Amino acid sequence: MGLFFLMISDKAVISEKAKIGKNVTIYPFAYIEDDVEIGDDCVIYPYVSVMNGTRMGRGNKIHQNTVLGAIPQDFSYRGDATVLVIGDDNIIRENVVINRATFKDGETRIGNRNFIMEGVHLSHDTHVGDGCVFGYGSKVAGDTEFGIGVILSSNVIVNPQVRIGNGVMVSSGCRVSRDVPPYIVANDNPVRYGGLNAQVLSAHGVDDKIQKHIANAYRLIFHGQTSVFDAVIQVKEQVPDSKEIQNIVDFISGTKLGIIGKQ
């Protein structure tokens, strides 16, 4: 059996019931409640609060004054024992608040390798994929959904139940109240389609031909004179199929709030 170390300050307040993995570092004045699981190789900096219901994977770094598993700021919450599930290798910077779910059959879920900057608030039942970046001071309401590789610039506000697709970048200061389809840049207020997020697509190996197909699809959706659902039919009929085009079609077909820039 290999050696492992728990580098835990005696000035931290940690419940004996909390489950702490191998090679975990916990700095002075951290506060960890009973029903908490912290995976191997995590670092918990001073003044972090890890509240009941938090389930954390391995290799996460949680910076000062962050609160994980906070009670939901939701009038529907009735005291259920709910959860916040965090994956692996996330960096969560100072003064972040992430609420656990409102009801016991739900969960707030954060994936892997996300970077959550200072002052971000992720509300109850938010679901975040892998490799996302949440910029300084961004605020996310409850029951929202983020795909893979989403980037929110600073001070973005995302309203309840909004879905943001894979590979989206939302520019600073935007207020988002409708769904944002995959692979695009969203900017201005009211929020509108600002073109393809070509840099991210190229970084993920999407070739130029597929990017042109995606651009053609969005030309039909955002610049056509039809409803968004008729535009999706045109995309199916006129744009060569690929997994990216299918992602766009599936995302828009599943919208309940409508998409940005369309009535």
Side-chain angles (χ1 to χ4, degrees):
M1 184 175 179
L3 294 175
F4 66 90
F5 302 92
L6 294 176
M7 295 165 280
I8 297 177
S9 170
D10 60 3
K11 293 184 173 64
V13 178
I14 305 171
S15 169
E16 293 181 354
K17 297 179 181 179
K19 297 178 181 179
I20 309 296
K22 301 175 182 179
N23 301 321
V24 172
T25 301
I26 302 177
Y27 280 82
F29 313 117
Y31 173 76
I32 299 173
E33 292 192 322
D34 296 349
D35 183 22
V36 167
E37 298 176 11
I38 297 176
D40 299 347
D41 304 313
C42 288
V43 179
I44 310 297
Y45 284 99
Y47 301 105
V48 169
S49 295
V50 187
M51 314 302 285
N52 286 327
T54 301
R55 311 282 184 262
M56 193 185 309
R58 63 182 302 148
N60 297 289
K61 293 183 179 180
I62 317 298
H63 288 254
Q64 289 89 330
N65 297 312
T66 284
V67 182
L68 300 180
I71 292 172
Q73 297 182 36
D74 182 349
F75 292 122
S76 299
Y77 181 64
R78 295 292 181 266
D80 289 355
T82 59
V83 296
L84 160 64
V85 180
I86 298 174
D88 302 333
D89 300 315
N90 296 285
I91 297 173
I92 302 177
R93 294 302 304 258
E94 298 82 358
N95 304 306
V96 169
V97 176
I98 306 179
N99 298 105
R100 63 182 184 259
T102 296
F103 302 109
K104 62 184 178 181
D105 57 348
E107 64 179 18
T108 302
R109 184 173 69 244
I110 311 297
N112 306 313
R113 302 179 305 281
N114 296 291
F115 187 12
I116 302 174
M117 295 186 188
E118 194 270 332
V120 169
H121 185 180
L122 302 180
S123 295
H124 64 89
D125 300 283
T126 294
H127 292 173
V128 176
D130 298 336
C132 296
V133 176
F134 290 81
Y136 169 86
S138 292
K139 308 298 181 184
V140 174
D143 297 295
T144 50
E145 182 178 330
F146 296 82
I148 296 169
V150 174
I151 300 172
L152 300 189
S153 298
S154 61
N155 296 305
V156 173
I157 296 174
V158 181
N159 286 337
Q161 301 179 14
V162 164
R163 300 155 61 235
I164 297 184
N166 295 345
V168 165
M169 186 178 80
V170 182
S171 298
S172 295
C174 286
R175 300 185 298 276
V176 185
S177 57
R178 293 188 176 187
D179 292 349
V180 185
Y183 317 125
I184 72 170
V185 175
N187 51 28
D188 295 337
N189 283 309
V191 180
R192 64 177 182 84
Y193 170 62
L196 291 191
N197 194 2
Q199 185 173 359
V200 166
L201 286 168
S202 297
H204 285 82
V206 179
D207 65 34
D208 290 344
K209 183 171 74 172
I210 298 297
Q211 291 190 40
K212 288 178 181 177
H213 294 164
I214 296 170
N216 286 336
Y218 281 129
R219 208 168 284 121
L220 292 168
I221 291 164
F222 287 108
H223 300 305
Q225 301 303 310
T226 64
S227 72
V228 66
F229 293 106
D230 286 340
V232 166
I233 293 171
Q234 292 178 344
V235 169
K236 292 178 181 178
E237 292 173 347
Q238 299 177 31
V239 180
D241 197 22
S242 65
K243 69 175 183 180
E244 290 80 10
I245 296 299
Q246 193 60 54
N247 283 342
I248 293 167
V249 168
D250 290 346
F251 184 95
I252 294 176
S253 297
T255 188
K256 295 178 181 178
L257 300 177
I259 63 171
I260 61 167
K262 297 291 287 188
Q263 295 299 321

